[in-house]
């Protein structure tokens, strides 16, 4: 007989309840928050975010046990917007200077290069009309 290993992944004690969580804004209870703001919520190691105006609920995976859990809320607003025009040849890295018109001398330089073929693919962008469980994770 061979050595038996437990299945991969987290193990839950036998009588510990497993609870999925959904967080929603209460309509009419926003004070001083712009509809254009982005609400970001982190519970454990999972982050969800969406525009306040989206009306989305934020779903988080099951957690184990009944211990208290810290949930972090962050409000983000757009400070400035800048654009670059990508050149067609991405065979070599290129540097671009991004300026943010109307902002107090905000600028940055970015490098755009071909992605490493061995790197994990980026997470897919949420589709229009999706719900919070599909919200982008950070």
């Amino acid at each position: 007989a061979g050595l038996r290993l437990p299945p991969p992944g987290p193990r839950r004690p036998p009588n510990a309840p497993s609870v999925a969580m959904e967080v929603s804004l209460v309509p009419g209870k926003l004070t001083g928050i712009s509809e254009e703001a982005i609400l970001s919520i982190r519970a454990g190691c999972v982050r969800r975010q969406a525009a306040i105006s989206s009306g989305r609920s934020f779903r988080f995976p099951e957690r184990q046990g009944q211990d208290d859990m810290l949930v972090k809320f962050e409000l983000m607003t757009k400070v400035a917007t800048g654009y670059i025009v990508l050149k067609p040849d991405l065979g070599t890295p290129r540097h671009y200077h991004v300026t943010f018109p109307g902002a107090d001398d905000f600028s940055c330089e970015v490098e755009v290069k071909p992605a490493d073929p061995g790197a994990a693919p980026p997470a897919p962008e949420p589709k229009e009309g999706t719900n919070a469980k599909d919200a982008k994770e950070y």
Side-chain angles (χ1 to χ4, degrees), residues 77-84 98-103 106:
T77 59
K78 180 172 50 172
V79 174
T81 301
Y83 298 93
I84 60 173
V98 183
T99 58
F100 298 90
F106 291 171

Side-chain angles (χ1 to χ4, degrees), residues 57-72:
S57 294
F58 301 84
R59 285 190 60 87
F60 294 89
E62 295 181 4
R63 65 184 186 100
Q64 295 145 8
Q66 293 186 10
D67 294 336
D68 289 350
M69 179 179 189
L70 181 66
V71 178
K72 180 179 182 179

Side-chain angles (χ1 to χ4, degrees), residues 1-89:
L3 177 66
R4 295 188 63 176
L5 297 174
R11 293 179 50 135
R12 186 168 23 135
N15 294 322
S18 178
V19 179
M21 177 173 63
E22 183 170 306
V23 178
S24 302
L25 291 171
V26 177
K29 296 293 185 175
L30 298 177
T31 304
I33 300 174
S34 165
E35 290 284 320
E36 295 178 10
I38 303 292
L39 178 62
S40 177
I41 303 174
R42 183 175 57 84
C45 62
V46 177
R47 180 181 298 272
R48 304 279 190 244
Q49 68 182 41
I52 294 286
S53 61
S54 74
R56 288 182 171 174
S57 294
F58 301 84
R59 285 190 60 87
F60 294 89
E62 295 181 4
R63 65 184 186 100
Q64 295 145 8
Q66 293 186 10
D67 294 336
D68 289 350
M69 179 179 189
L70 181 66
V71 178
K72 180 179 182 179
F73 291 80
E74 294 177 302
L75 279 177
M76 298 177 277
T77 59
K78 180 172 50 172
V79 174
T81 301
Y83 298 93
I84 60 173
V85 177
L86 294 176
K87 302 297 181 192
D89 177 27

